[in-house]
Amino acid sequence: MNASLNDKKEQEILVCPDAKSVALEAAATFVRLATDSIRERGRFTAALSGGSTPRSLFEILATPHWEKQIEWKKVHLFWGDERYVPDAYPESNFRMTLETLLSRVPVPPVNVHRIKTELAPAEAAAENYETEIARFFGTAPGQFPSFDLVFLGMGTNAHTASLFPHSNAIHETSRLVVAEYVAEVRMWRITMTAPLLNAAKNVIFLISGADKASVLRDVLFGDHDPERKPAQLIRPARGRLTWIIDSAAAAQLPPESYRLLSSRT
Ligand code: 6PG
């Protein structure tokens, strides 16, 4: 892990046997952090990731064994990023979360802080979300509120949230949320910025699949180049950074760099 990351005591790479065990480990961590946050602060604030990886995590959290361990009325859900499409579109991260989690657990609708992609243009949706986050946390402009948990994924091009290589968003240092057209995926994206993500108490990457092995090694052990590898922007200022990955994605990592976990049942 490149030097500055190595220096941080507050980070860890956990390797699980397969994608299902990544989801189970993530579910257990979600329950633990929710329980601790609610005990300490009376609420739990989590920014969810999109894409395909979190689906199984959300489905697990919605099962009775896990669902009943969470005090949903004190849980507030946000999204780290969103595709600028109507919620009804299959690309929508909100739609995926609604199908796999929100429609199955008793989280109060007022606690679901979605990105309002019905607002136009995309910048209006970003500004609205930024205002909603600042209102919720009571922060002033320039202040970055601290989520209890941020889940992130990573693409094979080392993007995370909707912070893509060579984009403007990766250079944002004062906004909480920005909108940007991403030519690579031919759509507008709304994303939390690196300083907001890095203000979190716990940032957890969930990564699985052999197609991520090479880029993961490059992000963790290659040269520091966030312009090409935006996932390298994620270095929580005071929080904990955890990578929960499966053995396929960990295939190119030095064995001494991670802790092997056995499968949870
Ligand atoms: C999105 C995500 C994005 C995702 C990665 C990995 O909106 O697409 O937030 O950052 O986490 O692209 O996606 P997979 O989990 O599908 O590999």
Side-chain angles (χ1 to χ4, degrees), residues 66 78 100 176 180 189 193-195 202 205 265:
W66 294 91
F78 297 75
T100 54
L176 305 183
E180 184 163 5
R189 292 286 190 100
T193 59
N202 296 278
F205 276 97
T265 51

Side-chain angles (χ1 to χ4, degrees), residues 49-54 81 83 93 153-155 159-162 189 212:
S49 54
S52 58
T53 302
D81 73 316
R83 291 82 178 277
N93 287 333
M154 187 181 72
H159 85 264
T160 190
S162 284
R189 292 286 190 100
K212 304 283 176 75

Side-chain angles (χ1 to χ4, degrees), residues 104-162:
R104 305 175 181 176
V105 299
V107 60
V110 70
N111 292 15
V112 176
H113 308 266
R114 54 179 277 272
I115 299 172
K116 294 178 178 166
T117 55
E118 62 274 25
L119 296 175
E123 180 55 35
E127 285 172 10
N128 174 272
Y129 203 49
E130 184 169 61
T131 302
E132 167 62 7
I133 293 172
R135 177 201 64 77
F136 177 83
F137 284 98
T139 48
Q143 285 184 322
F144 295 98
S146 180
F147 283 89
D148 295 312
L149 168 62
V150 168
F151 276 131
L152 291 172
M154 187 181 72
T156 53
N157 63 354
H159 85 264
T160 190
S162 284

Side-chain angles (χ1 to χ4, degrees), residues 122 164 167-168 179-190:
F164 281 78
S167 66
N168 296 323
E180 184 163 5
Y181 182 78
V182 181
E184 191 170 339
V185 292
R186 295 189 302 283
M187 68 168 72
W188 280 86
R189 292 286 190 100
I190 315 284

